[in-house]
Amino acid sequence: MDSSTLIIGLVMVALCTLPFILSGNSRTKNEQKIKNAFFELATKNNTTILQNDIWYKSAIGINTTSNELFFYRKIKDTETSEIIQLSDYQKCKIMKLNDSSNHIELLQLVLTSSSSNKPEIVLEFYNAELNPQLNKEVQLIEKWSKLINDTIHSSIKIKKAV
């Protein structure tokens, strides 16, 4: 193999891998921006997030000590942030909307209030219109539904004990 073939081969490999490297760097940079904004939300409210997950332009976290749930999402120019006092809610359920082909179109966590005068809170985990590729959202929503319900039920037990 002569040196010109080797050089051309190396240049071709570099050109083929460059988009993947740039895409990975962009994704890491975006995740870091989401993470910074998310933890700043907790800091502004003088609390800490004990457990969290970050995925496609979204983040969710919980402080099980204070029964606070944090949710952050930034899609285009719209920024959504929620701090939810879980002791005000009685349950959390998963809402899943499928299309006619049984593909998931929408995944949401819905928190139902303890009192009838307080509306439900809906936290969107996945929307096919915004992100056509479903990644780890199904596993995340199941994990967080269980974690939130466990936290709600443990706070109810504490209230009844007192």
Side-chain angles (χ1 to χ4, degrees):
M1 181 185 285
D2 63 350
S3 62
S4 63
T5 306
L6 180 64
I7 291 171
I8 291 172
L10 290 174
V11 168
M12 294 302 290
V13 167
L15 288 175
C16 289
T17 59
L18 190 61
F20 296 106
I21 293 170
L22 293 175
S23 173
N25 286 344
S26 174
R27 184 176 21 253
T28 303
K29 199 179 287 186
N30 286 336
E31 282 182 7
Q32 190 61 43
K33 285 180 184 177
I34 296 290
K35 189 176 186 178
N36 290 343
F38 181 60
F39 282 100
E40 186 177 312
L41 176 66
T43 304
K44 284 181 181 177
N45 288 284
N46 299 319
T47 190
T48 56
I49 296 171
L50 301 176
Q51 188 174 353
N52 69 82
D53 280 303
I54 298 172
W55 71 101
Y56 179 76
K57 300 184 181 186
S58 304
I60 190 168
I62 195 167
N63 182 324
T64 50
T65 308
S66 63
N67 290 333
E68 291 175 302
L69 181 70
F70 300 86
F71 184 80
Y72 177 84
R73 185 169 206 183
K74 185 170 183 181
I75 304 292
K76 297 180 183 170
D77 293 332
T78 306
E79 201 171 337
T80 306
S81 61
E82 300 266 352
I83 301 173
I84 303 159
Q85 189 62 44
L86 291 176
S87 56
D88 296 339
Y89 293 86
Q90 65 181 9
K91 69 179 177 179
C92 172
K93 63 183 177 184
I94 298 172
M95 286 291 272
K96 182 165 82 169
L97 179 67
N98 294 339
D99 64 9
S100 59
S101 304
N102 211 26
H103 294 109
I104 298 172
E105 289 291 313
L106 194 62
L107 276 176
Q108 300 173 325
L109 269 182
V110 180
L111 287 103
T112 305
S113 174
S114 302
S115 67
S116 58
N117 60 354
K118 213 173 199 183
E120 292 182 329
I121 292 183
V122 177
L123 305 175
E124 190 173 89
F125 269 61
Y126 173 76
N127 187 333
E129 290 180 10
L130 301 173
N131 181 18
Q133 187 174 357
L134 186 65
N135 291 320
K136 58 184 179 178
E137 288 87 350
V138 173
Q139 293 85 0
L140 281 176
I141 202 165
E142 289 171 355
K143 170 189 170 182
W144 281 95
S145 175
K146 181 179 179 350
L147 182 60
I148 292 167
N149 279 319
D150 289 348
T151 304
I152 288 171
H153 291 112
S154 68
S155 73
I156 290 171
K157 286 178 186 174
I158 291 170
K159 280 183 184 178
K160 287 182 180 179
V162 173

